[in-house]
Amino acid sequence: MKIQLKLLCILLSFSVTNICVADYSKHPQTSAFVDLMVNKHKFPREQVVEWLAAAKHQKSIVKAMTRPAEKVKPWHQYRKLFVSPLRTERGVKFWQENQQTLQRAAKDFGVDPAIIVSILGVETNYGRNTGSYRVIDALSTLAFDFYVSTEKRESRRKFFTTQLEHLLLLAREQNQDPLSLKGSYAGAMGWGQFMPNSYRNYAIDYDGDNLADIWNNPIDAIGSVANYFVEHGWKKDQPVATRAHVKEGFNKEGLNKMRRPKMDIDTLKDQGYKPVENYPGDTKAFPMVLTGKYGDEYWLGFHNFYVIGRYNPRIKYAMAVYQLSLMIREQRCESIADC
């Protein structure tokens, strides 16, 4: 029987541990994690073991991780997922309903309210889809199986193991059951889809009830997103991105590198990029190209575009956030005098 089960695991292209060790408390990858939680954070060993025993491997998470939209869809298809009339309309409504909080966040943190609204729109459609996976299932699947056997990447294995560590710490700090917390297939949580370490480091109590709750509280979600951006270097009243024209033989080196901009506009002009808007020659930017429906689109991303990328380091993601923010602001300004 054991030989047959082992053969079944191989035939189904799973590692033996994924099927043959369904109980994560007995998974060969978890003993060091249990020791960490016990020795470093003083959790009772039996409690950590109990939680891991309850965690379940999710095949749908493995499937989702192998085909993220940012990788498989060209820009003009990806854009439709997030930059739409309905999401714009809902963003305007959310802004109207939370105007005072957004104004306060803009004053306290210096972050554009349209960007805050757009982040919440792209991430969860303004709280409508915060994720249905148990976070402990997602993080266990990724830390102990996916990045060990499916896509072997030690840096990612360590990242998701650290997220599981922070999940248990967050649950203890907020007096919550870690088995009850829900999120995305990658373990992101709440209106703003914070990973557990970001939740602990950047989520804030913005309504004064002594609880940073981005699962259910849009006020805390707004303050937390604004805090995240300012902590990652958002510059008040500075541009995000601009379209650019390119000359024949332009320098393609550095295209779509989501890094802190180091080249200035004058240098980029010398390399064949001409921004459609005028900016001081010493403004730092980096070049981007996106696959539009009718051809390539060239852009220059400024420092604040890079900061959006600290939320999710994908060019298409950051551009979707930026363009949705423009549409939300434009539609809102059509209906009010002071926008």
Side-chain angles (χ1 to χ4, degrees), residues 167-210:
L167 174 70
L168 300 186
L169 291 169
L170 174 65
R172 182 167 69 180
E173 290 163 358
Q174 293 205 349
N175 194 30
Q176 298 205 54
D177 177 4
L179 301 180
S180 70
L181 301 179
K182 299 288 186 69
S184 74
Y185 65 81
M189 303 173 292
W191 283 58
Q193 292 291 275
F194 279 20
M195 294 300 289
N197 69 327
S198 291
Y199 201 123
R200 296 185 68 230
N201 291 329
Y202 305 114
I204 62 172
D205 166 26
Y206 206 46
D207 66 351
D209 67 353
N210 298 315

Side-chain angles (χ1 to χ4, degrees), residues 133-179:
Y133 288 99
R134 291 196 312 174
V135 179
I136 197 168
D137 291 345
L139 298 178
S140 296
T141 298
L142 295 170
F144 303 134
D145 284 330
F146 184 78
Y147 286 111
V148 174
S149 58
T150 305
E151 184 180 316
K152 296 181 180 180
R153 291 173 61 189
E154 180 63 11
S155 62
R156 300 302 285 168
R157 183 196 69 79
K158 288 182 178 179
F159 172 80
F160 284 103
T161 302
T162 298
Q163 296 308 318
L164 184 57
E165 175 187 0
H166 281 281
L167 174 70
L168 300 186
L169 291 169
L170 174 65
R172 182 167 69 180
E173 290 163 358
Q174 293 205 349
N175 194 30
Q176 298 205 54
D177 177 4
L179 301 180

